[in-house]
């Protein structure tokens, strides 16, 4: 019989944090689940922990050779899952309480027609040991179904560890992305399926580790330019006018923040798609007066939002 939930773990090194995650799974009061591990590690440290005999659940283990990278490793773990619900868990995150998985399942049961859920998250800062509940600005959460593009301003959902997604959702993470991979994925899901927020913070996510991609990609001009323009081109066909304007607003801020002076800088980032007309206009006016370009395009975008 297939399990109700598949806990999918894309693993890469960091044996101690991986073991901590498995220990939190071991404590769950809801037990109708399988664990799927997709291991990108070059060594055997993750496999050795999987093979320990102190787990009270079965683990499906898959060694990747060559490694699939992120988010290919995420998609590989999901592709091996047999459960009705997918619970992706990064190897350095964990369930905060023994009842955490039970509460995810209860939320899904209470909303039988919904496919996409996310809970609140605890953030553990590995640099100083601080731990706190991530509390996004309320209006961004309240309006997330209507305005998924707001995720590009602030990721109110958090890491994939906070999500709970029905098997019928056939969307996968876009392997062309690294920095915006979860935000772009969430945006697609919200447009198609909506989303339900579980108020309790049920998972903990670690932050500040030097090995994390978020640490190495923070404030990376080339990566951000390439990925924001890629996401704009990809989501344009499915976003309504309001959400397109929100994303335009974010791109305009990006151009100002990185002091981008020309289309050539966008091309240098690696983006090969079509440059949006509003960006072309921004640079055209900017050659005469940069302040005027910001003011003109800012007012136009705001008029679309109003």
């Amino acid at each position: 019989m297939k399990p109700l939930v598949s806990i999918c773990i894309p693993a890469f090194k960091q044996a101690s944090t991986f073991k901590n995650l498995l220990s939190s799974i071991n404590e769950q009061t809801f037990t109708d689940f399988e664990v799927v591990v997709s291991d990108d590690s070059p060594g055997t440290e993750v496999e050795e922990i999987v093979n320990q005999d102190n787990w009270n659940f079965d683990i499906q283990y898959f060694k990747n050779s060559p490694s699939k990278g992120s988010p290919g490793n995420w998609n590989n773990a999901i592709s091996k899952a047999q459960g009705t619900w997918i619970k992706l868990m990064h190897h350095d995150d964990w369930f905060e309480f023994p009842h955490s998985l039970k509460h995810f399942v209860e939320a899904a049961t209470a909303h039988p027609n919904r496919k996409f859920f996310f809970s609140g998250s605890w953030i553990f800062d590995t640099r100083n040991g601080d731990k706190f509940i991530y509390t996004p600005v309320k209006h961004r959460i309240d309006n997330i179904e209507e305005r998924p593009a707001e995720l590009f301003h602030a990721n109110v959902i958090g890491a994939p560890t906070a999500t709970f997604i029905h098997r019928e959702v056939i969307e996968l993470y876009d392997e062309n992305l690294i920095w915006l991979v979860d935000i772009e994925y969430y945006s697609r899901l919200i447009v198609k399926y909506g989303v339900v927020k579980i108020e309790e913070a049920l998972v903990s996510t670690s932050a500040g580790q030097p090995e994390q991609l978020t640490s190495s990609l923070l404030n990376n001009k080339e990566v951000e330019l390439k990925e924001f323009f890629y996401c704009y081109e990809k989501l344009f066909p499915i976003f309504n006018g309001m959400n397109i304007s929100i994303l335009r607003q974010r791109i305009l801020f990006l151009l100002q923040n990185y002091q981008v002076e020309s289309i050539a800088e966008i091309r240098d980032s690696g983006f090969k798609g079509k440059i949006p007309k509003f960006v072309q206009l921004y640079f055209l006016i900017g050659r005469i007066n940069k302040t005027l370009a910001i003011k003109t395009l800012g007012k136009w975008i705001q008029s679309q939002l109003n």
Side-chain angles (χ1 to χ4, degrees):
M1 182 179 296
K2 292 182 178 181
L4 185 65
V5 179
S6 291
I7 301 174
C8 300
I9 306 172
F12 181 69
K13 300 182 178 179
Q14 295 182 266
S16 62
T17 59
F18 173 70
K19 185 174 183 178
N20 182 60
L21 168 57
L22 292 190
S23 295
S24 76
I25 295 172
N26 219 42
E27 297 173 352
Q28 294 306 299
T29 59
F30 180 87
T31 58
D32 186 9
F33 65 82
E34 66 171 351
V35 172
V36 178
V37 177
S38 176
D39 185 11
D40 255 6
S41 306
T44 62
E45 59 268 47
V46 168
E47 186 174 9
E48 289 170 7
I49 291 173
V50 167
N51 290 333
Q52 291 180 5
D53 59 5
N54 54 336
W55 311 123
N56 58 21
F57 51 84
D58 292 329
I59 304 179
Q60 306 299 318
Y61 174 82
F62 301 92
K63 180 74 169 182
N64 302 327
S65 182
S67 64
K68 297 183 177 296
S70 176
N73 199 21
W74 310 1
N75 287 336
N76 190 57
I78 293 170
S79 72
K80 307 294 187 185
Q82 297 295 313
T84 303
W85 290 91
I86 305 297
K87 183 75 198 76
L88 190 66
M89 299 286 291
H90 286 327
H91 62 256
D92 51 356
D93 300 336
W94 62 93
F95 286 114
E96 181 63 23
F97 308 107
H99 66 252
S100 291
L101 186 56
K102 178 174 180 284
H103 283 202
F104 276 108
V105 172
E106 287 175 344
T109 302
H111 300 84
N113 296 320
R114 307 304 289 270
K115 309 294 183 185
F116 180 27
F117 297 78
F118 73 98
S119 77
S121 299
W122 290 84
I123 308 295
F124 176 68
D125 192 329
T126 58
R127 294 164 294 192
N128 54 26
D130 287 349
K131 188 173 181 179
F132 56 91
I133 293 178
Y134 175 48
T135 309
V137 177
K138 186 176 184 299
H139 77 84
R140 292 194 188 278
I141 291 182
D142 290 345
N143 296 323
I144 192 65
E145 282 197 298
E146 182 184 4
R147 301 161 70 99
E150 290 279 4
L151 288 166
F152 288 91
H153 285 284
N155 182 3
V156 299
I157 292 176
T161 293
T163 65
F164 196 65
I165 300 171
H166 197 278
R167 155 120 258 130
E168 291 179 1
V169 174
I170 60 173
E171 309 288 323
L172 292 175
Y173 289 91
D174 189 330
E175 296 180 22
N176 293 306
L177 296 168
I178 302 174
W179 178 245
L180 298 177
V181 60
D182 48 358
I183 293 173
E184 186 275 333
Y185 179 72
Y186 301 158
S187 297
R188 277 186 280 131
L189 263 61
I190 292 171
V191 169
K192 294 183 179 181
Y193 305 101
V195 67
V196 176
K197 168 72 185 299
I198 302 169
E199 292 300 329
E200 187 178 3
L202 299 174
V203 296
S204 283
T205 64
S206 56
Q209 297 188 63
E211 300 89 352
Q212 289 180 320
L213 279 174
T214 49
S215 298
S216 62
L217 298 176
L218 185 63
N219 297 321
N220 187 309
K221 174 184 174 181
E222 286 71 28
V223 170
E224 289 199 50
L225 285 175
K226 179 182 178 181
E227 296 204 358
F228 268 98
F229 279 96
Y230 176 89
C231 288
Y232 180 86
E233 185 172 60
K234 181 175 180 178
L235 296 173
F236 190 93
I238 66 171
F239 270 175
N240 60 23
M242 177 178 59
N243 282 288
I244 290 170
S245 294
I246 292 169
L247 194 44
R248 284 172 176 159
Q249 188 180 57
R250 185 67 180 85
I251 288 175
L252 185 60
F253 170 81
L254 192 72
L255 296 175
Q256 296 173 61
N257 185 54
Y258 284 122
Q259 299 180 350
V260 180
E261 303 289 343
S262 67
I263 290 174
E265 288 184 63
I266 300 172
R267 293 302 187 200
D268 288 344
S269 75
F271 176 66
K272 302 183 185 303
K274 184 177 180 181
I275 302 296
K277 290 183 179 179
F278 82 95
V279 174
Q280 298 179 40
L281 183 60
Y282 171 79
F283 289 127
L284 184 64
I285 299 174
R287 291 192 195 119
I288 303 169
N289 188 312
K290 191 171 183 179
T291 301
L292 178 62
I294 295 170
K295 185 176 181 180
T296 301
L297 270 297
K299 279 188 173 181
W300 174 70
I301 292 172
Q302 192 59 47
S303 71
Q304 305 301 305
L305 291 171
N306 293 337

